[in-house]
Amino acid sequence: MQFDFFKIESKIAPKQGRIIISEPFLPGNYFNRSSVLLVEHSGEGAVGFILNKPVDFPVHKFMNELTSFNTQVFIGGPVSTNMIYFIHTLGDLVPGSVKVMDGLYWGGDFDHLKMLITSGVVNPEQVRFFLGYSGWSEGQLEAEIKENSWLVAETNVKSIMTSDQNFWMESVKQVGGRYTMWQNFPEDPNWN
């Protein structure tokens, strides 16, 4: 009996609030061994943020007014990498936020968020910042899933807000089953 470790059989469809986990050898600096939170998914396409690619600079290196706010910035994806985006657990405290799932929101009034941060109302565990975002046009993500590039999985707000560079490995472990084998593959197959 042959067993294909790279054939992905997602039992659930991609949708807002779910993550997609890259197969172990997906090429490219952005998506190689990445877990991406989908903040929007519709017939027109999808938008998400990579949860496990931190940059070497804290947020105050990008925004001087946040010098006392000690939180990391993550690479969100290859689109608009000169812009800062954010997700948060603040709900209606940030006007214009989009609900991603219960307890998790995307974007909103950035100036208002900065005011909340500088006045001490918000702590670093409530906000995640990203340089750029990941985007897929109509049908593109679904095609990549059919090509075995992504595994769709459920997650929760706590995991999203505490994710770090190990989140791909943790996501694979959480899905379990035959995908746990992915953890053992070297990043470069030539290292084998």
Side-chain angles (χ1 to χ4, degrees), residues 94-183:
V94 181
S97 298
V98 174
K99 183 178 178 181
V100 175
M101 59 196 289
D102 285 342
L104 186 69
Y105 301 83
W106 166 36
D109 186 328
F110 193 57
D111 289 329
H112 190 77
L113 174 67
K114 289 191 289 188
M115 183 273 300
L116 292 172
I117 290 171
T118 56
S119 61
V121 174
V122 175
N123 67 56
E125 292 78 34
Q126 294 174 294
V127 182
R128 297 282 308 266
F129 292 100
F130 302 92
L131 284 175
Y133 68 92
S134 301
W136 293 267
S137 60
E138 179 182 346
Q140 183 182 5
L141 179 58
E142 288 73 15
E144 290 179 16
I145 290 169
K146 284 180 185 171
E147 293 168 353
N148 295 311
S149 296
W150 300 102
L151 171 64
V152 182
E154 299 279 357
T155 192
N156 60 61
V157 175
K158 182 179 179 187
S159 294
I160 291 166
M161 297 306 287
T162 60
S163 61
D164 60 16
Q165 65 272 11
N166 300 312
F167 193 61
W168 180 85
M169 194 73 77
E170 292 166 11
S171 300
V172 169
K173 189 183 296 184
Q174 183 69 33
V175 171
R178 67 195 205 146
Y179 303 108
T180 56
M181 293 293 292
W182 287 5
Q183 298 174 80

Coordinates of all heavy atoms in Angstrom, one line a residue, residues 94-183:
V94 N -12.1 49.7 18.9 CA -11.4 50.3 17.7 C -12.5 50.4 16.6 O -12.9 49.4 16.0 CB -10.3 49.3 17.2 CG1 -9.6 49.9 16.0 CG2 -9.3 49.1 18.4
P95 N -13.0 51.6 16.4 CA -14.0 51.9 15.4 C -13.6 51.3 14.0 O -12.4 51.5 13.6 CB -14.2 53.4 15.4 CG -13.6 53.9 16.7 CD -12.6 52.9 17.0
G96 N -14.5 50.8 13.3 CA -14.3 50.3 11.9 C -13.6 48.9 11.9 O -13.3 48.4 10.8
S97 N -13.5 48.2 13.0 CA -12.9 46.9 13.0 C -13.9 45.9 12.3 O -15.1 46.0 12.3 CB -12.8 46.4 14.4 OG -11.9 47.2 15.2
V98 N -13.3 44.9 11.7 CA -14.0 43.8 11.0 C -13.9 42.6 11.9 O -12.8 42.1 12.2 CB -13.4 43.5 9.6 CG1 -14.1 42.3 9.0 CG2 -13.5 44.7 8.7
K99 N -15.0 42.0 12.3 CA -15.0 40.7 13.1 C -14.5 39.6 12.2 O -15.1 39.3 11.2 CB -16.4 40.5 13.6 CG -16.4 39.3 14.6 CD -17.8 39.1 15.1 CE -17.8 37.9 16.0 NZ -19.2 37.7 16.6
V100 N -13.5 38.9 12.7 CA -12.9 37.7 12.0 C -13.6 36.5 12.5 O -14.0 35.6 11.8 CB -11.4 37.7 12.1 CG1 -10.8 36.4 11.5 CG2 -10.7 38.9 11.5
M101 N -13.7 36.4 13.8 CA -14.3 35.3 14.6 C -14.6 35.9 16.0 O -14.2 37.0 16.3 CB -13.4 34.1 14.6 CG -12.0 34.3 15.3 SD -10.8 33.1 15.0 CE -11.3 31.7 15.9
D102 N -15.3 35.1 16.8 CA -15.6 35.6 18.1 C -14.4 35.9 18.8 O -13.5 35.1 19.0 CB -16.4 34.5 18.9 CG -17.9 34.4 18.5 OD1 -18.4 35.4 17.8 OD2 -18.5 33.4 18.8
G103 N -14.3 37.2 19.3 CA -13.1 37.6 20.0 C -11.9 38.1 19.3 O -10.9 38.5 19.8
L104 N -12.0 38.1 17.9 CA -10.8 38.5 17.1 C -11.3 39.4 16.0 O -12.3 39.1 15.3 CB -10.1 37.3 16.5 CG -8.8 37.6 15.7 CD1 -7.8 38.1 16.7 CD2 -8.4 36.4 14.9
Y105 N -10.6 40.5 15.8 CA -10.9 41.6 14.8 C -9.8 42.0 14.0 O -8.6 41.8 14.4 CB -11.5 42.8 15.6 CG -12.7 42.4 16.4 CD1 -12.6 41.9 17.7 CD2 -14.0 42.6 15.9 CE1 -13.7 41.5 18.4 CE2 -15.1 42.2 16.6 CZ -14.9 41.7 17.9 OH -16.0 41.3 18.6
W106 N -10.1 42.5 12.8 CA -9.0 42.9 11.9 C -9.2 44.4 11.6 O -10.3 44.9 11.3 CB -9.2 42.1 10.6 CG -8.5 42.6 9.4 CD1 -7.3 43.2 9.3 CD2 -8.9 42.6 8.0 NE1 -6.9 43.5 8.0 CE2 -7.9 43.1 7.2 CE3 -10.1 42.1 7.4 CZ2 -8.0 43.2 5.8 CZ3 -10.2 42.1 6.1 CH2 -9.2 42.7 5.3
G107 N -8.1 45.2 11.7 CA -8.1 46.6 11.3 C -9.0 47.5 12.2 O -9.3 47.2 13.3
G108 N -9.3 48.6 11.5 CA -10.1 49.6 12.2 C -9.4 50.9 12.1 O -8.4 51.1 11.4
D109 N -9.8 51.9 12.9 CA -9.2 53.2 13.0 C -7.9 53.2 13.6 O -7.7 53.0 14.9 CB -10.2 54.2 13.7 CG -9.7 55.6 13.7 OD1 -8.5 55.9 13.7 OD2 -10.6 56.5 13.8
F110 N -6.8 53.3 12.8 CA -5.4 53.1 13.3 C -5.0 54.2 14.3 O -4.4 54.0 15.3 CB -4.5 53.0 12.1 CG -3.1 52.5 12.5 CD1 -2.9 51.3 13.2 CD2 -2.0 53.3 12.2 CE1 -1.7 50.8 13.5 CE2 -0.7 52.8 12.6 CZ -0.6 51.6 13.2
D111 N -5.4 55.4 14.0 CA -5.1 56.6 14.9 C -5.8 56.4 16.2 O -5.2 56.7 17.3 CB -5.5 57.9 14.2 CG -4.7 58.3 13.1 OD1 -3.5 57.9 13.1 OD2 -5.2 58.9 12.1
H112 N -7.0 55.9 16.2 CA -7.7 55.6 17.5 C -7.0 54.5 18.3 O -6.8 54.6 19.5 CB -9.1 55.2 17.3 CG -10.0 55.2 18.5 ND1 -10.4 56.3 19.1 CD2 -10.4 54.1 19.2 CE1 -11.1 56.0 20.2 NE2 -11.1 54.6 20.3
L113 N -6.5 53.5 17.6 CA -5.7 52.4 18.2 C -4.5 53.0 18.9 O -4.1 52.7 20.0 CB -5.4 51.3 17.2 CG -4.4 50.2 17.8 CD1 -5.1 49.4 18.9 CD2 -3.9 49.3 16.7
K114 N -3.7 53.8 18.1 CA -2.5 54.4 18.7 C -2.8 55.2 19.9 O -2.1 55.2 20.9 CB -1.8 55.3 17.6 CG -1.2 54.4 16.5 CD -0.2 55.2 15.6 CE -1.0 56.2 14.7 NZ -0.1 56.8 13.7
M115 N -3.9 56.0 19.9 CA -4.3 56.7 21.1 C -4.6 55.8 22.3 O -4.2 56.1 23.4 CB -5.6 57.6 20.7 CG -6.0 58.5 21.9 SD -7.2 57.8 23.1 CE -8.5 57.3 22.0
L116 N -5.3 54.7 22.0 CA -5.6 53.7 23.1 C -4.3 53.2 23.6 O -4.1 53.0 24.9 CB -6.5 52.6 22.6 CG -7.9 53.0 22.2 CD1 -8.6 51.8 21.6 CD2 -8.7 53.4 23.5
I117 N -3.3 52.9 22.8 CA -2.0 52.3 23.2 C -1.3 53.3 24.0 O -0.8 53.0 25.1 CB -1.2 51.9 22.0 CG1 -1.8 50.6 21.3 CG2 0.2 51.6 22.4 CD1 -1.2 50.2 20.0
T118 N -1.1 54.6 23.5 CA -0.3 55.6 24.2 C -1.0 56.0 25.6 O -0.3 56.4 26.5 CB -0.1 56.8 23.4 OG1 -1.3 57.4 22.9 CG2 0.8 56.5 22.2
S119 N -2.3 55.8 25.7 CA -3.0 56.2 27.0 C -3.0 55.0 27.9 O -3.6 55.1 29.0 CB -4.4 56.7 26.7 OG -5.2 55.7 26.0
G120 N -2.4 53.8 27.5 CA -2.3 52.7 28.4 C -3.5 51.8 28.5 O -3.6 50.9 29.3
V121 N -4.5 52.0 27.6 CA -5.7 51.2 27.6 C -5.5 49.8 27.0 O -6.1 48.8 27.4 CB -6.9 51.9 26.9 CG1 -8.1 51.1 26.7 CG2 -7.2 53.2 27.5
V122 N -4.6 49.7 26.1 CA -4.3 48.5 25.4 C -2.9 47.9 25.8 O -2.0 48.6 25.9 CB -4.3 48.7 23.9 CG1 -3.9 47.5 23.1 CG2 -5.7 49.3 23.4
N123 N -2.9 46.6 26.0 CA -1.6 46.0 26.2 C -1.1 45.1 25.0 O -1.9 44.8 24.2 CB -1.6 45.1 27.5 CG -2.6 43.9 27.4 OD1 -2.4 43.1 26.5 ND2 -3.5 43.8 28.3
P124 N 0.2 44.8 24.9 CA 0.7 44.1 23.8 C 0.0 42.8 23.4 O 0.1 42.4 22.3 CB 2.2 43.9 24.1 CG 2.5 45.0 25.1 CD 1.2 45.2 25.9
E125 N -0.6 42.1 24.4 CA -1.2 40.8 24.1 C -2.5 41.0 23.4 O -3.1 40.0 22.9 CB -1.4 40.1 25.5 CG -0.2 39.6 26.2 CD 0.5 40.7 26.9 OE1 -0.1 41.6 27.4 OE2 1.8 40.7 26.9
Q126 N -3.0 42.2 23.2 CA -4.3 42.4 22.6 C -4.2 42.8 21.1 O -5.2 42.9 20.4 CB -5.0 43.5 23.3 CG -5.4 43.1 24.8 CD -6.0 44.3 25.5 OE1 -5.4 45.3 25.8 NE2 -7.3 44.1 25.8
V127 N -3.0 43.1 20.6 CA -2.8 43.5 19.2 C -1.6 42.8 18.6 O -0.6 42.6 19.2 CB -2.5 45.1 19.2 CG1 -2.4 45.6 17.8 CG2 -3.6 45.8 19.9
R128 N -1.7 42.5 17.3 CA -0.6 41.9 16.5 C -0.5 42.8 15.3 O -1.5 43.1 14.6 CB -1.0 40.5 16.1 CG -1.1 39.4 17.1 CD 0.2 38.9 17.7 NE 1.1 38.5 16.7 CZ 1.2 37.2 16.3 NH1 0.5 36.3 16.8 NH2 2.2 36.9 15.5
F129 N 0.8 43.2 15.0 CA 1.1 44.0 13.8 C 1.8 43.2 12.8 O 2.6 42.3 13.0 CB 2.0 45.2 14.3 CG 1.3 46.2 15.2 CD1 1.5 46.1 16.5 CD2 0.4 47.1 14.7 CE1 0.9 47.0 17.4 CE2 -0.2 48.0 15.5 CZ 0.0 48.0 16.9
F130 N 1.5 43.6 11.5 CA 2.0 42.9 10.3 C 2.5 43.9 9.3 O 1.8 44.9 9.0 CB 1.0 42.0 9.7 CG 0.4 41.0 10.6 CD1 -0.7 41.2 11.3 CD2 1.0 39.7 10.8 CE1 -1.3 40.3 12.2 CE2 0.5 38.8 11.6 CZ -0.7 39.1 12.4
L131 N 3.6 43.6 8.7 CA 4.1 44.3 7.5 C 3.5 43.6 6.3 O 3.9 42.4 6.1 CB 5.6 44.3 7.4 CG 6.4 45.3 8.3 CD1 7.9 45.0 8.2 CD2 6.0 46.7 8.0
G132 N 2.7 44.2 5.6 CA 2.1 43.6 4.4 C 1.0 42.6 4.7 O 0.7 42.3 5.9
Y133 N 0.4 42.0 3.7 CA -0.6 40.9 3.9 C -0.5 39.9 2.8 O 0.3 40.1 1.8 CB -2.0 41.5 3.9 CG -2.5 42.2 2.6 CD1 -3.2 41.4 1.7 CD2 -2.2 43.5 2.3 CE1 -3.6 42.0 0.5 CE2 -2.6 44.1 1.1 CZ -3.4 43.3 0.2 OH -3.8 43.9 -0.9
S134 N -1.2 38.8 2.9 CA -1.2 37.8 1.9 C -2.6 37.9 1.2 O -3.6 38.1 1.9 CB -1.1 36.4 2.6 OG 0.1 36.3 3.3
G135 N -2.6 37.8 -0.1 CA -3.8 38.0 -0.9 C -3.9 37.0 -2.0 O -2.9 36.6 -2.6
W136 N -5.1 36.5 -2.2 CA -5.4 35.6 -3.3 C -6.6 36.1 -4.1 O -7.6 36.6 -3.5 CB -5.8 34.2 -2.8 CG -4.7 33.5 -2.1 CD1 -3.8 32.6 -2.7 CD2 -4.2 33.6 -0.7 NE1 -2.9 32.2 -1.7 CE2 -3.1 32.8 -0.5 CE3 -4.7 34.4 0.4 CZ2 -2.5 32.7 0.7 CZ3 -4.1 34.2 1.6 CH2 -3.0 33.4 1.7
S137 N -6.6 36.1 -5.4 CA -7.7 36.5 -6.2 C -8.7 35.4 -6.3 O -8.5 34.3 -5.7 CB -7.2 36.8 -7.6 OG -6.6 35.7 -8.2
E138 N -9.8 35.7 -6.9 CA -10.9 34.7 -7.0 C -10.5 33.3 -7.5 O -9.8 33.2 -8.5 CB -12.0 35.3 -8.0 CG -13.2 34.4 -8.2 CD -14.1 35.0 -9.2 OE1 -14.0 36.2 -9.6 OE2 -15.0 34.2 -9.7
G139 N -10.7 32.3 -6.7 CA -10.4 30.9 -7.0 C -8.9 30.6 -6.8 O -8.6 29.4 -6.9
Q140 N -8.1 31.5 -6.6 CA -6.6 31.2 -6.5 C -6.3 30.3 -5.3 O -5.5 29.4 -5.5 CB -5.8 32.5 -6.5 CG -4.3 32.3 -6.5 CD -3.5 33.6 -6.4 OE1 -4.1 34.7 -6.2 NE2 -2.2 33.5 -6.5
L141 N -6.8 30.7 -4.1 CA -6.5 29.9 -3.0 C -7.0 28.5 -3.1 O -6.3 27.5 -2.8 CB -7.0 30.5 -1.7 CG -6.8 29.8 -0.4 CD1 -5.3 29.5 -0.1 CD2 -7.4 30.5 0.8
E142 N -8.2 28.3 -3.6 CA -8.8 27.0 -3.8 C -8.0 26.2 -4.8 O -7.8 25.0 -4.5 CB -10.3 27.1 -4.3 CG -11.3 27.6 -3.3 CD -11.1 29.1 -2.9 OE1 -10.5 29.9 -3.7 OE2 -11.7 29.5 -1.9
A143 N -7.5 26.8 -5.8 CA -6.6 26.1 -6.7 C -5.3 25.6 -6.0 O -4.8 24.5 -6.3 CB -6.3 27.0 -7.9
E144 N -4.7 26.5 -5.2 CA -3.5 26.1 -4.5 C -3.8 25.0 -3.5 O -2.9 24.1 -3.3 CB -2.9 27.3 -3.8 CG -2.3 28.4 -4.7 CD -1.8 29.6 -4.0 OE1 -1.6 29.6 -2.8 OE2 -1.6 30.6 -4.7
I145 N -5.0 25.0 -2.9 CA -5.3 23.9 -2.0 C -5.4 22.6 -2.8 O -4.9 21.5 -2.3 CB -6.6 24.2 -1.2 CG1 -6.4 25.4 -0.2 CG2 -7.2 23.0 -0.5 CD1 -7.6 26.0 0.4
K146 N -6.1 22.6 -3.9 CA -6.2 21.4 -4.8 C -4.8 20.9 -5.2 O -4.6 19.7 -5.5 CB -7.0 21.7 -6.0 CG -8.5 21.8 -5.7 CD -9.4 22.0 -6.9 CE -10.8 22.2 -6.5 NZ -11.6 22.7 -7.6
E147 N -3.8 21.8 -5.4 CA -2.5 21.5 -5.8 C -1.6 21.0 -4.6 O -0.4 20.8 -4.7 CB -1.8 22.7 -6.4 CG -2.4 23.1 -7.7 CD -1.8 24.5 -8.1 OE1 -1.1 25.2 -7.4 OE2 -2.2 24.9 -9.2
N148 N -2.3 20.8 -3.4 CA -1.6 20.3 -2.2 C -0.6 21.3 -1.6 O 0.4 20.8 -1.0 CB -1.0 18.9 -2.5 CG -2.0 17.9 -2.8 OD1 -3.0 17.7 -2.1 ND2 -1.8 17.1 -3.9
S149 N -0.8 22.6 -1.8 CA 0.1 23.5 -1.2 C -0.3 23.9 0.2 O 0.5 24.3 1.0 CB 0.1 24.8 -2.0 OG 0.6 24.6 -3.3
W150 N -1.6 23.8 0.6 CA -2.1 24.2 1.9 C -3.1 23.2 2.5 O -3.9 22.6 1.8 CB -2.9 25.5 1.7 CG -2.2 26.7 1.1 CD1 -2.2 27.1 -0.2 CD2 -1.3 27.5 1.8 NE1 -1.4 28.2 -0.3 CE2 -0.8 28.5 0.9 CE3 -0.8 27.6 3.1 CZ2 0.1 29.5 1.2 CZ3 0.1 28.6 3.5 CH2 0.6 29.5 2.5
L151 N -3.0 23.1 3.8 CA -3.9 22.3 4.6 C -4.7 23.3 5.4 O -4.2 24.2 6.1 CB -3.1 21.4 5.6 CG -3.9 20.7 6.7 CD1 -4.9 19.7 6.0 CD2 -2.9 20.0 7.6
V152 N -6.0 23.2 5.4 CA -6.9 24.1 6.1 C -7.2 23.6 7.5 O -7.4 22.4 7.6 CB -8.3 24.3 5.3 CG1 -9.2 25.3 6.1 CG2 -8.0 24.8 3.9
A153 N -7.1 24.4 8.5 CA -7.3 24.0 9.9 C -8.1 25.0 10.7 O -8.1 26.2 10.4 CB -6.0 23.7 10.5
E154 N -8.7 24.5 11.8 CA -9.3 25.4 12.8 C -8.2 25.9 13.7 O -7.2 25.3 13.9 CB -10.4 24.6 13.6 CG -11.5 24.1 12.7 CD -12.6 25.1 12.4 OE1 -12.5 26.3 12.8 OE2 -13.5 24.7 11.7
T155 N -8.5 27.0 14.4 CA -7.6 27.5 15.4 C -8.5 28.3 16.4 O -9.7 28.4 16.3 CB -6.5 28.4 14.8 OG1 -5.5 28.6 15.8 CG2 -7.0 29.7 14.2
N156 N -7.8 28.9 17.4 CA -8.6 29.7 18.3 C -7.8 31.1 18.5 O -6.7 31.2 18.1 CB -8.8 29.0 19.6 CG -7.4 28.6 20.3 OD1 -6.6 29.4 20.6 ND2 -7.2 27.3 20.4
V157 N -8.5 32.0 19.2 CA -8.0 33.3 19.3 C -6.7 33.3 20.2 O -5.7 34.0 19.8 CB -9.0 34.3 20.0 CG1 -8.4 35.6 20.3 CG2 -10.2 34.4 19.1
K158 N -6.6 32.5 21.2 CA -5.4 32.5 22.1 C -4.2 32.0 21.3 O -3.2 32.6 21.3 CB -5.7 31.5 23.3 CG -4.5 31.5 24.2 CD -4.7 30.6 25.4 CE -3.4 30.6 26.2 NZ -3.5 29.6 27.3
S159 N -4.4 31.0 20.5 CA -3.3 30.5 19.6 C -2.8 31.5 18.6 O -1.6 31.7 18.4 CB -3.7 29.2 18.9 OG -3.9 28.2 19.8
I160 N -3.8 32.2 18.0 CA -3.4 33.3 17.1 C -2.6 34.4 17.7 O -1.6 34.8 17.3 CB -4.7 33.9 16.4 CG1 -5.4 32.8 15.5 CG2 -4.4 35.1 15.6 CD1 -6.8 33.1 15.1
M161 N -3.1 34.9 18.9 CA -2.5 36.0 19.5 C -1.2 35.7 20.2 O -0.4 36.6 20.5 CB -3.5 36.6 20.5 CG -4.8 37.2 19.9 SD -4.5 38.4 18.5 CE -4.0 39.8 19.5
T162 N -0.9 34.4 20.5 CA 0.4 34.1 21.1 C 1.3 33.4 20.1 O 2.4 32.9 20.5 CB 0.1 33.2 22.3 OG1 -0.5 32.0 21.9 CG2 -0.6 33.9 23.4
S163 N 0.9 33.3 18.8 CA 1.8 32.6 17.9 C 3.1 33.3 17.7 O 3.3 34.5 17.9 CB 1.0 32.5 16.5 OG 0.8 33.8 16.0
D164 N 4.1 32.4 17.4 CA 5.5 32.9 17.2 C 6.1 32.1 16.1 O 5.4 31.5 15.3 CB 6.3 32.9 18.5 CG 6.4 31.4 19.0 OD1 6.2 30.5 18.3 OD2 6.8 31.3 20.2
Q165 N 7.4 32.2 15.9 CA 8.1 31.5 14.8 C 7.9 30.0 14.8 O 8.1 29.3 13.8 CB 9.6 31.9 14.8 CG 10.4 31.4 16.0 CD 10.4 32.3 17.1 OE1 9.7 33.3 17.1 NE2 11.2 32.1 18.1
N166 N 7.4 29.4 15.9 CA 7.2 28.0 16.0 C 5.7 27.6 15.6 O 5.4 26.4 15.7 CB 7.5 27.5 17.4 CG 8.9 27.7 17.8 OD1 9.8 27.4 17.1 ND2 9.1 28.3 19.0
F167 N 4.9 28.5 15.2 CA 3.5 28.3 15.0 C 3.2 27.3 13.9 O 2.3 26.6 13.9 CB 2.7 29.6 14.8 CG 1.2 29.4 14.9 CD1 0.6 29.0 16.0 CD2 0.4 29.7 13.8 CE1 -0.7 28.8 16.1 CE2 -0.9 29.6 13.9 CZ -1.5 29.1 15.0
W168 N 4.1 27.3 12.9 CA 3.9 26.3 11.8 C 4.0 24.9 12.4 O 3.1 24.0 12.2 CB 4.9 26.5 10.6 CG 4.7 25.5 9.5 CD1 3.8 25.6 8.5 CD2 5.4 24.2 9.4 NE1 3.9 24.4 7.7 CE2 4.9 23.6 8.2 CE3 6.3 23.5 10.1 CZ2 5.3 22.3 7.8 CZ3 6.7 22.3 9.7 CH2 6.2 21.7 8.5
M169 N 5.0 24.6 13.1 CA 5.2 23.3 13.8 C 4.1 23.0 14.7 O 3.5 21.9 14.7 CB 6.6 23.3 14.5 CG 7.0 21.9 14.9 SD 7.6 20.9 13.5 CE 9.2 21.6 13.2
E170 N 3.7 24.0 15.5 CA 2.5 23.8 16.5 C 1.2 23.5 15.7 O 0.4 22.7 16.1 CB 2.4 25.0 17.4 CG 3.6 25.2 18.3 CD 3.6 26.5 19.0 OE1 2.6 27.3 18.9 OE2 4.6 26.8 19.6
S171 N 1.0 24.2 14.6 CA -0.2 24.0 13.8 C -0.2 22.6 13.2 O -1.3 21.9 13.2 CB -0.3 25.0 12.6 OG -0.3 26.3 13.1
V172 N 0.9 22.1 12.7 CA 1.0 20.8 12.1 C 0.7 19.7 13.3 O -0.1 18.8 13.1 CB 2.4 20.5 11.5 CG1 2.6 19.1 11.2 CG2 2.5 21.4 10.3
K173 N 1.3 19.9 14.4 CA 1.1 19.0 15.5 C -0.4 19.0 16.0 O -0.9 18.0 16.3 CB 2.0 19.5 16.7 CG 2.0 18.5 17.9 CD 2.8 19.0 19.0 CE 4.3 19.2 18.7 NZ 5.1 19.6 19.8
Q174 N -1.0 20.2 16.0 CA -2.4 20.3 16.4 C -3.3 19.5 15.4 O -4.3 18.9 15.8 CB -2.8 21.8 16.4 CG -4.2 22.0 16.9 CD -4.4 21.7 18.4 OE1 -3.5 21.8 19.2 NE2 -5.6 21.2 18.7
V175 N -3.1 19.6 14.1 CA -3.9 18.9 13.1 C -3.7 17.4 13.3 O -4.6 16.6 13.3 CB -3.5 19.3 11.7 CG1 -4.2 18.4 10.7 CG2 -3.9 20.8 11.5
G176 N -2.4 17.0 13.6 CA -2.1 15.6 13.9 C -2.3 14.6 12.7 O -2.1 15.0 11.6
G177 N -2.6 13.4 13.0 CA -2.7 12.4 12.0 C -1.4 12.2 11.2 O -0.3 12.4 11.7
R178 N -1.6 12.0 9.9 CA -0.5 11.7 9.0 C 0.4 13.0 8.8 O 1.5 12.9 8.4 CB -0.9 11.2 7.7 CG -1.8 12.2 6.9 CD -2.5 11.5 5.8 NE -2.7 12.4 4.7 CZ -2.7 12.0 3.5 NH1 -2.5 10.8 3.1 NH2 -3.0 12.9 2.6
Y179 N -0.2 14.2 9.1 CA 0.5 15.4 8.9 C 1.7 15.6 10.0 O 2.6 16.4 9.7 CB -0.4 16.6 8.9 CG -1.5 16.4 7.9 CD1 -2.8 16.2 8.2 CD2 -1.2 16.5 6.5 CE1 -3.8 16.0 7.3 CE2 -2.1 16.3 5.5 CZ -3.4 16.0 5.9 OH -4.4 15.9 4.9
T180 N 1.6 14.9 11.1 CA 2.7 15.0 12.0 C 4.0 14.6 11.4 O 5.1 15.1 11.9 CB 2.4 14.1 13.3 OG1 2.2 12.8 12.9 CG2 1.2 14.7 14.1
M181 N 4.0 13.8 10.4 CA 5.3 13.4 9.7 C 6.0 14.7 9.1 O 7.2 14.7 9.0 CB 5.0 12.4 8.6 CG 4.5 11.1 9.1 SD 5.8 10.2 10.0 CE 6.9 9.9 8.7
W182 N 5.2 15.7 8.8 CA 5.8 16.9 8.2 C 6.8 17.5 9.1 O 7.8 18.1 8.7 CB 4.7 18.0 7.9 CG 3.8 17.7 6.8 CD1 3.7 16.5 6.0 CD2 2.7 18.5 6.3 NE1 2.8 16.7 5.1 CE2 2.1 17.9 5.2 CE3 2.3 19.8 6.7 CZ2 1.1 18.4 4.5 CZ3 1.2 20.3 5.9 CH2 0.7 19.7 4.9
Q183 N 6.6 17.4 10.4 CA 7.5 18.0 11.4 C 8.9 17.4 11.3 O 9.9 18.1 11.6 CB 7.0 17.7 12.8 CG 5.7 18.3 13.1 CD 5.2 17.9 14.5 OE1 5.6 18.5 15.5 NE2 4.3 16.9 14.5

